Amino acid sequence: STLVLVQVLLKPVDTLGIEVVCRLIEQQHIGLRKKQTAKCRELITMFDALSLREDSGVELCRKHFGVEAQQVLDPTLLLTAEEYNTLTSSIPQRKEPILFAYLLDRSAEKLAFVEQMAKHRGLSVVVVGADGELQEGDSIEQWLSYFRDARYVVTDSFHGVVFSIIFRKQFYYIITSLFLIKKNAGTD
């Protein structure tokens, strides 16, 4: 559950923990339960400042948690491609061209589409989801290197689009239905 995720990942000294809270706010706009709201309110007070990229999140922080947050640019846009390349420099470049699919929803339809696009372009496929299926050795640098090395990217994610642009890759954005957004947010 989201509450367990926040409890495990968000520690008082965890400077990146605020991202966890922000994700909770983004994913549960309407569906915040009273117990989760109380726990999040407690956890948020551990931070001196709170920033979010969506104005709706700023309003939710004010309304549900009683804290003032500042709306800011998405942090992924604060570094240049050169700076991201420095982060990935320890990861060897792939020899064969790949189609990188970063999918929040790895449905059978989307995976079939990815395979079809890769076959059409003569590319091997690397699929990474945002569903928490981490493997030993996975890292942010590894994930970024997929964008760096991709000949083509398929994504249904805002951040997939951002990193495709940063790394100047051709990409295809799959629009996620409102139904799926609501399903992932835990609302009906």
Side-chain angles (χ1 to χ4, degrees), residues 2-186:
T2 305
L3 180 59
V4 172
L5 175 69
V6 170
Q7 288 172 326
V8 169
L9 294 179
L10 188 59
K11 297 174 178 57
V13 296
D14 184 358
T15 57
L16 296 177
I18 199 64
E19 183 177 335
V20 175
V21 174
C22 295
R23 290 300 261 165
L24 179 135
I25 292 166
E26 289 173 5
Q27 292 175 2
Q28 301 212 358
H29 288 284
I30 299 168
L32 287 171
R33 296 184 185 105
K34 287 182 182 181
K35 186 176 178 180
Q36 289 174 315
T37 301
K39 186 64 177 178
C40 287
R41 186 180 299 117
E42 174 190 334
L43 293 170
I44 281 179
T45 62
M46 296 176 186
F47 297 95
D48 294 331
L50 181 63
S51 60
L52 300 161
R53 61 174 201 244
E54 282 87 13
D55 56 354
S56 60
V58 171
E59 178 59 30
L60 286 169
C61 282
R62 183 179 304 114
K63 181 178 176 182
H64 291 287
F65 305 130
V67 297
E68 292 299 318
Q70 181 181 1
Q71 185 177 5
V72 296
L73 182 69
D74 189 274
T76 58
L77 298 168
L78 299 177
L79 297 178
T80 65
E82 292 75 27
E83 290 167 314
Y84 281 115
N85 280 324
T86 300
L87 290 173
T88 63
S89 63
S90 65
I91 311 287
Q93 290 214 344
R94 284 157 195 81
K95 291 183 168 90
E96 72 176 33
I98 63 167
L99 181 148
F100 177 47
Y102 177 58
L103 301 171
L104 301 179
D105 165 44
R106 291 191 287 177
S107 67
E109 295 85 6
K110 287 182 183 179
L111 292 173
F113 176 74
V114 165
E115 289 294 334
Q116 178 185 357
M117 288 196 74
K119 183 178 179 181
H120 176 72
R121 288 171 171 72
L123 303 171
S124 297
V125 176
V126 174
V127 178
V128 173
D131 52 13
E133 290 183 19
L134 298 176
Q135 305 296 318
E136 187 174 335
D138 284 350
S139 67
I140 296 296
E141 294 82 4
Q142 179 72 44
W143 182 77
L144 288 168
S145 76
Y146 294 133
F147 286 99
R148 176 196 69 194
D149 298 344
R151 178 89 39 93
Y152 201 87
V153 176
V154 176
T155 188
D156 59 1
S157 155
F158 167 79
H159 289 107
V161 170
V162 168
F163 283 109
S164 295
I165 293 169
I166 288 171
F167 284 101
R168 297 176 183 238
K169 301 299 175 175
Q170 292 184 15
F171 66 93
Y172 187 95
Y173 176 69
I174 300 172
I175 298 173
T176 304
S177 71
L178 183 58
F179 170 78
L180 182 60
I181 291 169
K182 286 182 178 182
K183 181 178 127 190
N184 287 341

